[in-house]
Amino acid sequence: MNPDLSLLHPYPFEKLAALFKGHQPPAGLAPIALSIGEPRHAAPAFVAETLTRHLGGLSTYPSTLGLPVLRDAIAAWLCRRFGLAAVDPASQVLPVNGTREALFSFTQAVVDRSRVTAAGKPLVLMPNPFYQIYEGAALLAGAEPHFLPCTAASGLQPDFDAVPDDVWARTQLLFICTPGNPTGALLGMDTLKKLIALSDRFGFVIASDECYSEIYFDEAQPPAGLLQACAELGRDDYRNCVVFHSLSKRSNLPGLRSGFVAGDAKLLSPYLRYRTYHGSAMPVQHQQVSAQVWQDEAHVRDNRALYREKFDRVFDILNPVLPLRKPDAGFYFWVATPGPDDAFARDLHRETAVTVLPGRYLARSGDDGVNPGEGHVRMALVAGVSECVEAAQRIRQFLAR
Ligand SMILES: Cc1ncc(COP(=O)(O)O)c(C=O)c1O
């Protein structure tokens, strides 16, 4: 077997199952999972009908490049959402089966593992804590993951000014996540432009994971995106920049497995070849549905309203007992715990049947031995309003004991 497989960490949910082993919650309490990242709101009503109408697609092999109707819808959405002048649907957009597989496969296509220097393997930079796929993708691409701590002091996003030139010089790929998972923090336009300048200077690729970009609080202030920063700099070729977007969180369709990668055609062309061999074309009927979903914003606004209500209600219940900070965007509370995060999650689950994710499982210790996820838990407000409120009340009673 590939020896690099042994470098992969157990996934956070495996660690959570091990933490809970032998600790049963009270039998009468219904479990409430705030640990998962899976949206539980209803999908748009038109999806089932569109999917059924296009079931004939089951009898054809889909093309990896995707249908023009979908690529056109995606390009138009990008232009509307981020104020872009032009996105070429033929060369600057690729549909993917959810961004998870795309983040992984893009890394395999980008990293040049032959470029090992006296300083070591190529680096893939990523925030810490982080979406776990970045690390696994880097390891299996033959690169070394390099973690950029996201702490309260650095505004819950990496402090890019603290990265030394010799690290940038070894960097082939930089992952950014805005809004961040788990912190919900955004990268502002100035930072995005600074990263583009660094990419010009050192030649690395920027992969911006923006899959939470449509879940935000102020309708007048949607989060900025990397392609938007490129456009403001007059770079319509989006050189060395790609973004990842998904229908999973935006439209409550995690089971559709539908997202896209967009940006620099010089990167997407070889990536398309990689995907052709990898065998990851999106089923035709999913493409047809996705084209329609990207064209509809009404359900996305309703979705945001529901998250807004839940954040308000849960904040009011928990703020007196926990140091809560509403995120900039996304659907997670990233909460400092009284005491170790894993013990907090274990005891909370045992006493209240509410599950939260210990922050240490989402992060790695740096050279200083500090794990920036420690002392925090991630609470996802993905369940319905009444379930989230019930969970908050149980957490409050737990803390009062
Ligand atoms: C930060 C981040 N990126 C990407 C994904 C992958 O989402 P999907 O594959 O459903 O598009 C997730 C899923 O939870 C995530 O949290």
Side-chain angles (χ1 to χ4, degrees), residues 67-382:
L67 299 171
V69 66
L70 174 57
R71 284 181 284 118
D72 288 350
I74 291 170
W77 179 81
L78 277 170
C79 291
R80 273 196 313 276
R81 167 64 176 82
F82 294 106
L84 309 180
V87 173
D88 178 16
S91 64
Q92 293 178 324
V93 169
L94 267 186
V96 297
N97 286 309
T99 49
R100 182 184 183 126
E101 67 90 355
L103 291 160
F104 181 85
S105 55
F106 183 74
T107 309
Q108 313 312 307
V110 163
V111 169
D112 176 359
R113 61 174 75 219
S114 71
R115 261 174 48 202
V116 179
T117 64
K121 291 182 181 180
L123 297 181
V124 174
L125 270 54
M126 62 196 73
N128 189 28
F130 59 96
Y131 181 51
Q132 302 291 292
I133 300 307
Y134 311 151
E135 180 194 48
L139 291 168
L140 289 180
E144 183 182 321
H146 181 90
F147 301 108
L148 307 175
C150 303
T151 61
S154 67
L156 299 175
Q157 280 282 2
D159 175 5
F160 296 105
D161 292 334
V163 178
D165 280 3
D166 62 321
V167 168
W168 287 125
R170 280 173 65 198
T171 303
Q172 291 190 4
L173 178 63
L174 165 68
F175 278 114
I176 54 177
C177 186
T178 179
N181 171 6
T183 66
L186 295 177
L187 291 174
M189 192 50 93
D190 290 350
T191 306
L192 295 172
K193 288 179 181 168
K194 192 158 53 175
L195 293 175
I196 293 169
L198 282 163
S199 153
D200 279 350
R201 189 168 152 217
F202 293 99
F204 57 82
V205 171
I206 309 178
S208 184
D209 180 352
E210 301 179 2
C211 80
Y212 293 92
S213 69
E214 303 317 291
I215 302 175
Y216 52 89
F217 295 101
D218 182 350
E219 289 293 323
Q221 289 200 308
L226 183 64
L227 298 190
Q228 190 179 358
C230 292
E232 287 195 9
L233 293 168
R235 299 159 62 107
D236 289 345
D237 61 355
Y238 310 116
R239 184 160 22 101
N240 270 343
C241 292
V242 293
V243 295
F244 295 75
H245 283 271
S246 171
L247 291 180
S248 300
K249 326 283 181 188
R250 172 188 182 267
S251 302
N252 304 313
L253 289 166
L256 190 66
R257 310 311 301 128
S258 179
F260 68 81
V261 183
D264 187 349
K266 290 214 175 75
L267 299 172
L268 293 193
S269 168
Y271 178 46
L272 171 62
R273 171 153 312 158
Y274 175 92
R275 293 182 68 73
T276 306
Y277 281 85
H278 188 61
S280 45
M282 190 191 299
V284 169
Q285 65 279 10
H286 292 201
Q287 295 192 47
Q288 293 284 2
V289 173
S290 303
Q292 201 177 344
V293 178
W294 285 114
Q295 289 172 68
D296 184 72
E297 289 299 330
H299 75 277
V300 190
R301 277 192 295 274
D302 292 348
N303 199 36
R304 280 196 287 275
L306 203 48
Y307 280 117
R308 217 172 283 135
E309 177 184 354
K310 290 193 287 186
F311 270 101
D312 286 344
R313 305 262 312 256
V314 170
F315 187 88
D316 287 347
I317 297 167
L318 283 184
N319 193 43
V321 290
L322 273 179
L324 281 196
R325 166 199 166 272
K326 264 198 207 164
D328 297 337
F331 56 49
Y332 301 111
F333 269 123
W334 178 241
V335 192
T337 49
D341 49 307
D342 50 355
F344 178 90
R346 184 198 58 216
D347 296 346
L348 179 71
H349 176 254
R350 189 180 51 215
E351 291 186 31
T352 72
V354 172
T355 314
V356 297
L357 198 59
R360 71 182 63 203
Y361 296 172
L362 295 168
R364 301 284 177 260
S365 298
D367 293 340
D368 54 3
V370 176
N371 177 328
E374 270 181 30
H376 292 80
V377 289
R378 190 186 78 176
M379 295 181 184
L381 300 195
V382 287

